[in-house]
Amino acid sequence: MLDRSRTYGRSPRDLRPSPYDASTGHYWLMRRDLGLPRRAVVWPHSLHEVEFTTENAFAVHQLFMLGTCHGGGRVGDFTTWLNAFESDPEFDRQLCIVIADPLGVVAVAQCWTSAFIRNLVVHPRAQRRGVGLALLDRVFEAFAERREGHVDLKVMECNLTARHLYERAGMQYVQRCELEPR
């Protein structure tokens, strides 16, 4: 029997779960090689990038909290999370990419300085419009500008929608991992 808790095969391209692999007890490490060609960032109509600020931080955090309800993951309480931008070297305001429409914040990607996508969420009112793919393209652009070779993230195995998005963005499966009990 194949042990998928470790990397295997000649390359990450050999590693791909089936659509039926949807364990709630496992997650995947995925990676995007930034040496590969990238798409230009194109935002859907009425959407635009805005700076992450103290004024929109609460709306950003609320969207992350909504995302944890639907896709898993963890986000600290608002004060702890916001203070980390001042105290944690992995947090960088320039790597918190915020997308808005006329009603407010609709998508956010928070990345760490170690070329890791910590959280990525698209509000339900903006889903299925190409926002997630454009947001990933923007993340890849940001890390390419920083001369990083690749970008990583973790995704719950049972989050088939996110996995499909990441596959479409050119991310490859690297390793299947078991969740540690909380």
Side-chain angles (χ1 to χ4, degrees), residues 52-70:
F52 173 65
T53 64
T54 305
E55 290 75 31
N56 65 16
F58 186 75
V60 167
H61 185 264
Q62 289 299 108
L63 187 54
F64 283 143
M65 295 302 290
L66 178 65
T68 63
C69 295
H70 298 287

Side-chain angles (χ1 to χ4, degrees), residues 26-150:
H26 293 86
Y27 66 89
W28 282 91
L29 175 65
M30 295 185 76
R31 175 170 289 166
R32 173 63 155 87
D33 179 350
L34 296 178
L36 298 173
R38 294 184 312 276
R39 287 182 297 272
V41 179
V42 179
W43 300 114
H45 178 71
S46 79
L47 300 183
H48 59 282
E49 186 173 345
V50 298
E51 184 179 353
F52 173 65
T53 64
T54 305
E55 290 75 31
N56 65 16
F58 186 75
V60 167
H61 185 264
Q62 289 299 108
L63 187 54
F64 283 143
M65 295 302 290
L66 178 65
T68 63
C69 295
H70 298 287
R74 297 180 213 161
V75 177
D77 67 86
F78 177 70
T79 303
T80 303
W81 172 79
L82 187 59
N83 288 339
F85 283 97
E86 305 304 322
S87 63
D88 188 332
E90 281 277 28
F91 282 61
D92 182 341
R93 288 178 181 268
Q94 298 300 314
L95 292 175
C96 191
I97 300 168
V98 182
I99 309 306
D101 70 4
L103 299 176
V105 174
V106 293
V108 183
Q110 180 183 356
C111 304
W112 283 341
T113 57
S114 58
F116 187 85
I117 301 170
R118 173 66 179 102
N119 288 304
L120 187 142
V121 180
V122 177
H123 193 281
R125 76 173 183 261
Q127 290 177 355
R128 306 209 185 292
R129 294 178 46 202
V131 179
L133 199 54
L135 186 54
L136 283 167
D137 291 338
R138 177 65 182 95
V139 166
F140 301 152
E141 177 183 85
F143 281 114
E145 289 170 359
R146 290 175 174 237
R147 302 199 187 314
E148 295 289 348
H150 63 271

Side-chain angles (χ1 to χ4, degrees), residues 158-178:
C158 61
N159 192 341
L160 300 177
T161 302
R163 283 178 32 200
H164 180 69
L165 170 65
Y166 302 145
E167 289 171 5
R168 286 181 40 225
M171 299 193 81
Q172 301 292 319
Y173 293 94
V174 175
Q175 185 175 22
R176 184 179 192 244
C177 305
E178 192 169 344

